[in-house]
Amino acid sequence: MIDDSELPQLFDFLIQVTTRAGESLRELGRSGMTEHSFDKVLSREVKAEADRIVEYQILDELRETGLPILSEETGSLNSSNDSDYLLLIDPIDGTANFTRGCAEASVSVGLYKKNDPVFGVLSIYPTGELAWGGPDVGAFIDGSPLK
């Protein structure tokens, strides 16, 4: 369980986790890990092995927070926790772009309090740029504020 005073440390931690996951995604892309299939239920939803690899890495690190997690690939984890906070993960936002090598994708990690966004962090593939922001944080790419 966290309280609002711990948000700056959690924010820094999410930046570190997302940065490492983005580095892993770039390595997977360089090594040709773009194999994919289509979801059986949602026929246009692309599922890549890289999604599962990056998700596992992120979940392994985020579990130590004890916060509930909702991941696009796995679903809900630690849902019995009665925290007001929820971590949201999309290990590869833009999986089709990643598998085709045709445009950007990103590793996306965000924090919500109840139904309100607190902040989010993106590691953009393939450039490695890091974007983050939130209602009380502002918006930045690689440390430069966006307006």
Side-chain angles (χ1 to χ4, degrees):
M1 190 81 78
I2 67 164
D3 61 50
D4 291 350
S5 69
E6 297 172 283
L7 289 179
Q9 293 88 353
L10 182 58
F11 182 60
D12 289 342
F13 180 63
L14 292 185
I15 286 176
Q16 293 168 18
V17 168
T18 306
T19 298
R20 285 189 291 272
E23 290 166 356
S24 294
L25 183 60
R26 285 188 301 285
E27 180 58 35
L28 289 167
R30 284 190 296 273
S31 66
M33 284 292 295
T34 58
E35 300 90 21
H36 63 283
S37 60
F38 292 92
D39 190 90
K40 292 178 183 8
V41 177
L42 303 170
S43 61
R44 301 192 81 201
E45 179 71 16
V46 177
K47 299 293 181 187
E49 181 63 22
D51 269 310
R52 289 182 281 283
I53 293 168
V54 172
E55 180 193 47
Y56 180 81
Q57 176 184 345
I58 294 168
L59 292 177
D60 191 48
E61 293 190 59
L62 292 183
R63 280 189 180 106
E64 72 182 56
T65 68
L67 293 173
I69 300 170
L70 180 60
S71 177
E72 181 184 27
E73 305 306 316
T74 299
S76 183
L77 300 164
N78 299 336
S79 58
S80 61
N81 185 324
D82 63 351
S83 174
D84 287 342
Y85 291 98
L86 173 68
L87 290 163
L88 298 171
I89 301 167
D90 189 348
I92 306 178
D93 189 3
T95 304
N97 290 348
F98 172 76
T99 61
R100 295 179 185 133
C102 65
E104 291 181 337
S106 66
V107 173
S108 303
V109 178
L111 180 71
Y112 268 67
K113 183 175 184 179
K114 298 187 179 176
N115 290 321
D116 297 317
V118 178
F119 49 73
V121 184
L122 304 172
S123 178
I124 301 168
Y125 175 87
T127 65
E129 291 176 298
L130 197 68
W132 66 88
D136 296 328
V137 178
F140 300 84
I141 291 184
D142 283 342
S144 297
L146 298 174
K147 296 184 183 201

